[in-house]
Amino acid sequence: MAAPAHPDLSKIFNNPLGASSSSSSSTNRAQAQNASAISLPKTSTDLLRLMKSTTTNQAVRDTLIPVLNRIADGEGQTGSTKSQKMKKGEMLLQLPNIQKDFDVSKLTDAEIKAMTAALVYVLSARFDNSSAPESDQLMMVWMMKFVKQLDPEQIRMTKSRLGVLAWSFQRLCKRSGKPELCTPIILGIQSFSYPPTVFTGVLPAILESCILVREFDFALPLINEVVRDFVTGAPTYLDVLTYFHHAGLVFAALGDYARATERFVMALCIPTSAASAIQLACAKRAMLCELIVTGKTLRYPKYISSAVTRIIDRNAETYTQLAKAFENHEWAAVQAAGKSPDFKQDANEGLLQAVLASAPKRKILKVRETFSRLRLDQLAIKVEDDSPNGQLTRDTLQAMIQTGEVAASITPSEPSPIITFHEHTIAGPEVTARQLAEAQAADAWLELDLSAGNKSLGLSDTYLGKQLDMHDMSGGGKKSRGAGIEDREAGLRKSGRVRGVGSNMADTGF
């Protein structure tokens, strides 16, 4: 699997290389101050007038979107709590009283393109209103037309609201009984918005849609992608947690329990001071997947937050008991722990059955430690297989040989075939090829990421200043501390301690 072409993010996001972080932050502060000075529309008519009068992308970014965000946050709305104010803000974004007059299906292509950012807020608010005057079918038509005619530049400006639109449309599809329509449409939003390397709140919504209909063709490219940018798309903390949790579910549904464990553990490693219920669910499922893959208790990375480990210790005792008994080959205790109602309540009964079904594999590997050669009927007795002629043991062993989990051969013989275990375990060609392709793709992306990181460091005034400070502290003198970077670099070059590119012959390849 070859790595896709690396996108030029500087062109996509109109962010020229070398732009000063301090100047961009001051510009953002000025824009925020200007946006906060604008009075908020109080009626649907005033809000629609503002949407239609904002005709340039710069005005959309600097004026319209900040106003819409303030309305969504409940600013200027009545209510005793924050949630009540936000609810009324969402009601205003639906453009009540003029909903029938503002029919998205009647907008021209040019109007949709000019109002893309505004429509992200309006549609996401209307999709969640089950009592809206429009039918669910009509709102689906709106979404299809919107995706075809949207302006990619404007839709990138909406950032986190894009995830709200994806989730609200998914709920609309579920409510209308057509969840299969959701995935290709919101995948179109993601494709038009950002390159595959940018994480947005749309991704977890796409994965959940795939899980609902149990169709994973759209999900696999998303969970195999090396996602690197968690800033540009402005995802929320729960977006990231949900993404890794759902990625683990997809891999588990496909039988790839090793990668499922990896994704679940990634969710556990996200820094937090208060553990989430999603992280607890990930921990429980990671324990079961780890038992299927290795037969051992899951060992958590040391850098996991203590808040996460505490909630696991308090709320996953049944899973811990099962894992310890399984690792110690205490099969009676495994059966007893598996009868707990916790697995059904946590919707983990399927994973539990997969764990119990992997017990013969663990027993075979245990026998392998003692015996190098024995008959199939003898192995079946040790595995406690009561199937006719030890067929379950034979099928399990053949599957293990195929996947490379054990090196063995089965020789026909009477009264029972002879099983011979070999010293070296060599993975099957299909497994090796897949792992190699994945490693090569990940290596290509990481190499590009490292190169881009090195370039950005070379253009960072903050990084260069720190390097110069370290030089001063290590003997370069204190006179230059606090001086401008240009002056300090000029002084170092004049002294001969720092040379420019080309002053060293090695720089030109000699």
Side-chain angles (χ1 to χ4, degrees), residues 97-262:
N97 305 324
I98 61 171
Q99 281 181 300
K100 293 183 179 180
D101 300 329
F102 188 66
D103 188 345
V104 179
S105 60
K106 295 180 181 179
L107 294 176
T108 65
D109 295 348
E111 287 175 327
I112 292 178
K113 199 172 188 66
M115 297 180 63
T116 293
L119 288 173
V120 169
Y121 287 81
V122 174
L123 293 179
S124 58
R126 287 193 181 183
F127 290 162
D128 272 334
N129 183 9
S130 58
S131 60
E134 303 87 6
S135 66
D136 290 348
Q137 186 69 29
L138 177 59
M139 287 193 283
M140 286 184 174
V141 173
W142 287 359
M143 188 66 163
M144 294 177 188
K145 185 174 182 180
F146 172 71
V147 172
K148 292 179 181 179
Q149 306 300 335
L150 58 83
D151 179 5
E153 184 177 354
Q154 279 199 27
I155 206 168
R156 284 194 292 270
M157 298 176 188
T158 60
K159 294 187 178 291
S160 59
R161 187 72 187 193
L162 200 57
V164 178
L165 173 64
W167 283 108
S168 62
F169 182 69
Q170 187 212 65
R171 289 188 286 269
L172 170 66
C173 292
K174 289 171 61 178
R175 189 168 68 236
S176 62
K178 297 181 178 180
E180 68 278 359
L181 297 179
C182 180
T183 304
I185 293 177
I186 58 178
L187 183 62
I189 296 177
Q190 172 70 18
S191 302
F192 286 127
S193 306
Y194 296 102
T197 52
V198 175
F199 186 95
T200 71
V202 179
L203 294 181
I206 296 174
L207 295 186
E208 182 156 320
S209 299
C210 294
I211 292 171
L212 287 174
V213 298
R214 298 191 67 80
E215 292 287 344
F216 305 117
D217 292 340
F218 292 114
L220 281 175
L222 301 179
I223 58 180
N224 284 325
E225 188 68 55
V226 181
V227 178
R228 301 178 298 122
D229 185 351
F230 284 84
V231 177
T232 303
T236 65
Y237 175 72
L238 289 180
D239 286 336
V240 180
L241 284 182
T242 305
Y243 169 81
F244 285 120
H245 172 264
H246 286 6
L249 288 182
V250 172
F251 279 127
L254 295 173
D256 194 340
Y257 298 107
R259 285 196 286 184
T261 305
E262 291 177 1

Side-chain angles (χ1 to χ4, degrees), residues 455-471:
K455 291 179 181 178
S456 63
L457 278 179
L459 296 171
S460 170
D461 289 350
T462 304
Y463 173 76
L464 294 175
K466 289 182 178 180
Q467 293 301 309
L468 290 171
D469 286 341
M470 291 175 61
H471 178 273

Side-chain angles (χ1 to χ4, degrees), residues 359-377:
K361 181 192 302 184
R362 298 299 149 199
K363 294 175 182 178
I364 290 174
L365 292 174
K366 186 69 174 178
V367 172
R368 164 72 182 81
E369 296 175 1
T370 306
F371 296 88
S372 61
R373 182 183 175 91
L374 73 168
R375 295 198 311 269
L376 176 62
D377 57 353

